[in-house]
Structure formats: C-alpha cells, structure tokens
Amino acid sequence: MRKKNRRSVSYNTLPSPHTTSSTETASTSSSSSSSPSLPSAGGLSMPDRFSLRSTKSYTSIPGAPSLSSSAISASASNLDDLSRPRKDFSIQAEEDDDGIDRSAWLQKALRKHPELQNLKERISPVSRAVAFGRTYNAPSTPDSGKEGPKPKGTMIVGEDMYLDKGKILQLIMQHLYHEGLKHSAHVLSGETNTDYMVNELNESRLVTLVRIALRDTERIWDLTVADKSHMDRQGDDDLEEHLNELEMLEEEPLEKDVNIWQEPVTGNITWSDKPQDNEPKSIHSASLNKLVENLTSPANPNMTFLKTFLLTYTTFTTAEKLLHKLIERYHVPQDRKPPNIRPEDWNTTTLMPIRLRVCNVLRKWIEEFEDELSSTRLLRTLKTFLETTLKPDGYVVLAEAMSAALARKMKQREIPPATITEPPPEPKVPRNVFSPSLSLMDINDEELARQLTLMEFETFRAIRPSELLNQVWNKPKQRHRAPNVVKMIRRFNEISNWVATSIVGSEKIRQRVKVMTKFLRLADILRKMNNFNTMVAVVAGINASAVHRLKWTKEEVMKGIWPQFAECERLMSNEGSYKTYRGALFQARPPCLPYLGVYLTDLTFIEDGNPDYVNELINFSKRSLIYTVIAKIQQFQLLPYNFYPIHQIWEYIKRFPSMEEAELYSTSLKIEPRKADRSEIL
C-alpha cells in the first residue's frame, strides 16, 4: 500500500457524499429503471396518489428561515458545488507519490458505470438522502410557460423549499464555531464573501439537520424501496402516515368530487328493512354526499346514526374530506329557495336548521373525537371556518363554544378521571410490602386480584375507538395504531405465562400445590369482580399443557376449590359463540372488565364477512355492526374500579418471572416425569 503525500487541503476539498452532476443523476435514474427488482433511491417509486411537499419546520437559526428535513435533503445537492474547485479558492489536490491526480477518479467511475452509483446510493444513507433531495427538487417540465405534468414517483417543490448556498455556508460556519474552529470559520467567511451571524448555540445545527434529514429519508426509503417485492396496502398506509407526519402530502383534489348540493335527489342510497314500525329507517348503503346529507338533516335527527358515522367514518373517508363536505353542506345555494316562499320564511324553515345541524355535528366531532383533529392543516381550515363564516353569519356563540372546546381538548389529551363518591375498601397490605423480597405468597389473594384489576382496567379504559377499526391490532405494520389493544393482548399472554411459570417453577410438590391453589382462588375472585379478561388469562395459565399434565399436584389440591374453577371454565366456554359468557356480561353491573378477545373476534368476523362497498356505495350496514360492538366496549369504560393502588404490588406484578413454552414443558417433565408414582415426586 503506497503512502500518500498529503498536501494542504482547504475545507472545500472535503469529499462530497454525492458529487455527480444533474446529467449523471438522469443517467442514474434511467439505470435504476432498468432494474425492476431493486429500484434506485434516485427514482423513488411512490404510490400514484401521492404528491409530495414539505412545510414542517424542525429547527431554525436566528435570522434565517425555518428549515425542514426535506429542505435539507432537497438542498444536499448544493453541497456538491461547494466541494468542487473554484477559481477564487486555493485548492491543492491530493496526489500519490507518482504525481498522478486521483481526486476525480470516483466521479469518473460513477459517471462511466451508473450501476456503481446505484449501488452507492443503496449502501450509503447520505447518498440516498442526496438522491432523494435531487429527485425532490427536480424542475417541472416546461410547457408554454406552465408547469408540466409531474412524472410518476417524482416529488416537486418550489424554489423556497430548499436551502441556497448562503444558508448552507451559514450552517457550516456555525458548525465550525461550535467545534472551536473559529479561524477556519473566518477564512470561509472571507473567501466566500459571506458575513457570519454569530449565534451562541449549544449544538451544531448542521449536524442536527443532517441527522433529521437522514432519519426521515431513510424511513421513506424503507417504506418504498427496501422491500418493494413485499409492498402491499399496509406498506402504503405506513408510508402515507409517515409522509403525513412530515406534512409532505398534498391534499387530494377535492374539486373532482361531486358537490353535495349537486348530488342527484334520488339514487345513491339504499335503505335497510326496518324491523319494527316504531324504529326509524336505517341506511344500508349510500354515497358520502348522501351520508352527510342525512347526517345534517333537520327533519330526522338520529343520535345513533351520528355516533356511528363519527366513530367509523375513517374507514371510508378522511377527516379533511369530511370537514370539506360539512362546509359544503353549510353553504346552502340560494337557488334552492322555492320562488313562492319568502326569504325570511326560507331562512327559518330550511337554511338555519341545516346550518345548526352542521354546527351540532362539528361540536360532537370536536368533543368526542378530537384525536382525529390533530392535523395542522385540518385545524387551520376549521378555525378559518369558525372565524370567517360562522361568526359573520351570526353564530358567534356557537363559534366561540366550538373554539373553546377545541382549545380545551388540545390541551387536555388525558382521559378525565371518573367521579366516585364511595370510599374504596380497606386494602390488605402485606406486612413486608416494602421488602425487596416481596413474593407471590406474601400477597393476599383478594388484594392481588384488586391490583391486577386496577392495572388491566387502566389500559382497557385508554382504548380509543380508532384502535378497533380495520383490524389494525392484528396487522404487524399497523399495530402502532392500536397501542392499548396490543398492550392488553401482550399483558394477557404475560399473565397466562406468569401463572404457568409460577406453578411449574416450584420444585417441591407442596409449594406447587400452594401456588396452584392461590391461582385457582384468584380466578374465582376475579370472576366475582367481573374482571373476565384477567380471569381468562389466569384460567389459560392453569390449563397450559405444562401445568395440565401435573397429575399429582392437582390431586393434592383441596377438592372444594375445583368446582369454583369449573364454574370459571363453564362461563368462558366458546360454545354458541360464548353464549354463556355473553349472557353473564349482559347482566353484569359495572364496574366490569370484559374479555377483550370476544370483541376482537366479533370485529374480525364483521370486517372479513362484509364488503366495504355495495355497488360502489359505502356499506353503512357494516359500519353499524362495527359501532354496535365498539359501543359495548365503551359502556364498560365509563365506570372504573374503586380500589386503592398499592405501588409495591404493581412493581412486583410488572417483573414477575416467565419461561418460554419449551422450557415450561421440559421443567414440567422434570418435576413430574411421565408415569411416575407419587412416591417418586418430591
């Protein structure tokens, strides 16, 4: 290996992560298109419906405009010009001992072999970010002075969406100051004729912005290119969610939709047969316009329909489009007024009732579904409507009430505490509750049931309706949308494993009998507390194969306990789709923690067994079935359990022991071998 003779190299000769020209980028893109199995980051393959932009500001430098990760990424290619030699810069190239200048070899090789450039972008996050920036900042196709059509997968942005060289130089100089290289910063300022605005910051903004840009572009890379052969609707949803977080998604062209007031009076809606004469007709299927029209109809206000719509609308439209339709509905066209009716009469009988219904829907939406109103763009549209439309039209009180409710909900995201008037029962605190050696057998059976119930109900009460839609809890790429449902499922499995581990982990049969007896009693106490979810987890642990085979341990458990356990098993029998359990749940008085698995099974059958659309109309009957299940869950979320939490027991429960299934069974065989006599069991 030859030793290099390194001459003085100025800051601007530092190698650029990606120094191909715009023509080289085009070559790279064309090369990537010829390789369908692994497309290039330079030509990110985005879903057709996505048009990207960026407005989100992550950080800023005083005196400079706000900077976004996409702006840094889009501007990264400008660094190439800084790294190229300039006439007014003192550049001395790096040479080997033979005097041959090899500083441009990499660029020449990449230009001659585009497949190397393609590979470089794949293995280097920085190169991918630069390629992303070039694509993102691609110019529009000129056509008679107008912006041309956007190529598929290309992201277009205006001149104000990337950093010019002056801003980049400011970032570099701030970085040099931060690293203590003030002399280098002054040299850079002089050679580039750029005045540096000194800012005493505790971080290098250049490094921070590059990290953010790399993080965001790498996430887009992962969701579009990294595993394109396995991309499906779930992957598209994840990509859309990430782009929404970056505010890089352009609004869908709503103007292509039929205006709600131009929807045909007849058609586009079908009705279900009403089971009884005294019940209102229910919509079977309809277009979005017809649903919103019935939602805001003054003639037939239906609270169940309103709740069903607001709870399930995300399965067939977006919050932005719904708000757009409500605003459309508010603006009643003047040509709808019959000529033989006086304006004041028409305002009283038609215009005002419709507008009030629209306001009532908006108020209900704000008060109960504020999580879906977190988008900055959506909030801006809603606030503009309240200030520039409702108030001038004379609905000042309504507008201010909705504004106050919106502000209150944005500040208070936590679940409000329930009002309980009766004092909780006296806790049965273990004597050694503060001891680090606190064990299972030290905790009273009833108190253990209480603390388990408090912990489980806390998660159950936090479940949002959106977590129960579209089976997101069951889709690996969408489980982040159902954190509390996933937590309850995981906790259920952990408790079941804890029960089996505690029994099998007791080496002596006497100790195993005590532990098994404790859990048998615990299951019965949970049943009497109406905590069916945790009860089923305990029953599942006792019925685990590693525990079920412990013949001699079960023989020595007191006979009077087994009938109580049998009642738990009978209650949760899956015969008749859990008919016995459903009957007991119907008669149960809150507080109650239902078995979540039954509801998830019901929702799965509804989702899989009913189409989303019927003859291109939204299948609202399916949404009504979904609402019925979720409403049952919500009624049990209202009244919590009234017990004192004991922190030390919670900490013990959080760290209980567990074994893998294979280890459980092998340990079970050791403590009670197959065909062993009682005399052989310790």
Side-chain angles (χ1 to χ4, degrees), residues 17-66:
H18 194 321
T19 54
T20 56
S21 64
S22 58
T23 56
E24 293 162 21
T25 306
S27 173
T28 302
S29 300
S30 61
S31 170
S32 64
S33 63
S34 63
S35 177
S37 60
L38 200 56
S40 168
L44 289 177
S45 178
M46 296 289 181
D48 293 346
R49 66 183 187 280
F50 292 159
S51 176
L52 301 179
R53 62 184 178 84
S54 176
T55 57
K56 183 172 182 180
S57 174
Y58 285 91
T59 183
S60 62
I61 292 178
S66 60

Side-chain angles (χ1 to χ4, degrees), residues 547-556 672 676:
V547 178
H548 185 71
R549 62 169 301 277
L550 298 177
K551 172 185 174 182
W552 297 113
T553 303
K554 294 164 72 175
E555 283 284 339
E556 296 198 13
E672 285 194 24

Side-chain angles (χ1 to χ4, degrees), residues 468-600:
L468 301 165
L469 299 174
N470 298 322
Q471 302 182 63
V472 292
W473 69 86
N474 205 28
K475 300 174 181 178
K477 293 184 179 180
Q478 297 189 37
R479 287 176 183 164
H480 62 280
R481 298 179 181 178
N484 296 297
V485 173
V486 172
K487 184 178 179 180
M488 285 207 70
I489 294 172
R490 182 177 66 248
R491 191 66 181 168
F492 180 97
N493 294 329
E494 289 173 351
I495 292 175
S496 177
N497 181 272
W498 167 52
V499 172
T501 299
S502 299
I503 296 172
V504 173
S506 303
E507 296 182 2
K508 306 294 184 180
I509 190 170
R510 288 186 179 180
Q511 182 64 16
R512 280 199 303 279
V513 169
K514 291 180 180 179
V515 174
M516 182 176 285
T517 301
K518 189 176 190 68
F519 283 119
L520 290 170
R521 287 174 175 165
L522 178 64
D524 186 56
I525 296 171
L526 290 168
R527 177 180 64 85
K528 294 175 180 177
M529 285 183 178
N530 291 336
N531 182 354
F532 300 111
N533 195 75
T534 311
M535 182 203 75
V536 175
V538 174
V539 170
I542 295 173
N543 285 333
S545 58
V547 178
H548 185 71
R549 62 169 301 277
L550 298 177
K551 172 185 174 182
W552 297 113
T553 303
K554 294 164 72 175
E555 283 284 339
E556 296 198 13
V557 173
M558 290 188 300
K559 304 301 181 184
I561 295 179
W562 288 110
Q564 300 171 0
F565 182 73
E567 176 61 21
C568 295
E569 292 184 305
R570 185 194 68 80
L571 176 65
M572 299 311 302
S573 171
N574 58 8
E575 292 184 4
S577 186
Y578 293 93
K579 181 180 179 180
T580 305
Y581 163 70
R582 292 180 193 272
L585 187 63
F586 180 77
Q587 297 178 355
R589 295 180 59 186
C592 176
L593 182 54
Y595 175 40
L596 188 62
V598 170
Y599 292 127
L600 299 184

